[in-house]
Amino acid sequence: MHLKKPLWSTALKETREPSSEAEPQPQQPSSATATAVDELVNSLNKQRLYREVTLALRTSLRDARAEFSFLRLRGLRSLLNFLRSVAQSDSTINLFCQTQSLPDLQVVPVLFQNSLKEGEEEQNVESLSHVFGVEPMRITSPSTDAEIALALRVLEGCCLLHRESTVFAHQYKAIQVLMRVLSTRGVLEKSACLDALISIMLDSSPNQMV
């Protein structure tokens, strides 16, 4: 998510700055009017940022919930880039923390429900009801090494930016999941897992106790 300054904000700034070649104006706007304009600009900027943050989250989380690993991988890359952009200013960090109070925009539960969940046993078609039934059987592709490593990086970023994300991680038994990753996965996942392990234990007594 790369935020751009709105055109109306730049134009408004130019109109308020006096030009050296322009003729002197007979009357200057009062301080109350200038304050009201500044408040309006700030309000519009906050609304624009909130729309961009929520749109970026919804788009990335939609892919992160997908059944296919390559789509989840794309969603995780978008989430990681999104968190890096959010971390550049306090205002966007606050907006991200606000969005995490909405269940549809929470990142950590999506990570544990999809990329970081334990591999399920192979689903076999036991009867023709799965084929001719009204609802088809859902088959989800297993998580790849790159997907798990990216999910752990996203988990680390969420916990560092949003303290309540450590609570969400505890609800999904994050310590046990990370211990399983450390004992069964390769070097790529283990490196990301150690960083994520530190982040979920920061200022989190329940995770520390586990």
Side-chain angles (χ1 to χ4, degrees):
M1 181 188 68
H2 300 284
L3 303 178
K4 298 180 180 179
K5 294 183 178 180
L7 297 178
W8 51 264
S9 179
T10 305
L12 180 61
K13 182 178 179 180
E14 291 177 353
T15 56
R16 293 183 60 186
E17 291 180 352
S19 175
S20 58
E21 299 178 357
E23 296 180 358
Q25 298 294 330
Q27 294 181 353
Q28 297 292 336
S30 63
S31 59
T33 303
T35 302
V37 171
D38 290 336
E39 292 178 354
L40 176 61
V41 171
N42 292 333
S43 176
L44 292 174
N45 277 329
K46 289 180 180 179
Q47 294 178 14
R48 178 181 62 88
L49 282 174
Y50 185 79
R51 287 195 300 268
E52 292 190 8
V53 167
T54 54
L55 178 61
L57 272 176
R58 291 185 189 278
T59 304
S60 301
L61 290 175
R62 180 188 59 196
D63 288 339
R65 296 187 182 100
E67 299 177 6
F68 300 103
S69 180
F70 75 94
L71 288 177
R72 296 196 299 269
L73 196 61
R74 183 177 69 179
L76 292 172
R77 289 196 186 100
S78 299
L79 283 172
L80 191 59
N81 292 331
F82 165 79
L83 292 175
R84 289 170 177 169
S85 298
V86 164
Q88 294 178 1
S89 66
D90 293 337
S91 59
T92 50
I93 292 176
N94 292 332
L95 286 177
F96 171 70
C97 293
Q98 293 176 18
T99 60
Q100 294 309 288
S101 62
L102 304 175
D104 293 341
L105 298 179
Q106 291 174 354
V107 178
V108 173
V110 174
L111 299 178
F112 285 97
Q113 291 171 359
N114 296 273
S115 298
L116 297 178
K117 70 176 181 180
E118 293 187 12
E120 299 178 352
E121 296 181 358
E122 185 179 357
Q123 297 177 347
N124 298 319
V125 179
E126 299 178 355
S127 64
L128 293 180
S129 60
H130 292 293
V131 179
F132 299 105
V134 178
E135 296 183 0
M137 183 174 62
R138 179 179 177 180
I139 300 178
T140 303
S141 61
S143 301
T144 62
D145 295 345
E147 179 185 345
I148 293 177
L150 269 179
L152 291 171
R153 293 299 181 189
V154 174
L155 174 63
E156 176 190 0
C158 288
C159 292
L160 292 178
L161 294 176
H162 179 234
R163 183 177 180 181
E164 295 301 321
S165 289
T166 60
V167 178
F168 299 150
H170 179 69
Q171 294 174 356
Y172 286 90
K173 300 181 179 180
I175 298 296
Q176 291 88 334
V177 173
L178 296 187
M179 290 296 103
R180 174 172 53 82
V181 172
L182 283 174
S183 61
T184 60
R185 290 290 176 171
V187 178
L188 180 65
E189 300 95 304
K190 289 180 179 179
S191 176
C193 189
L194 290 174
D195 294 334
L197 188 62
I198 295 174
S199 66
I200 67 174
M201 289 194 299
L202 289 176
D203 298 327
S204 177
S205 299
N207 287 326
Q208 293 173 7
M209 291 296 295
V210 174

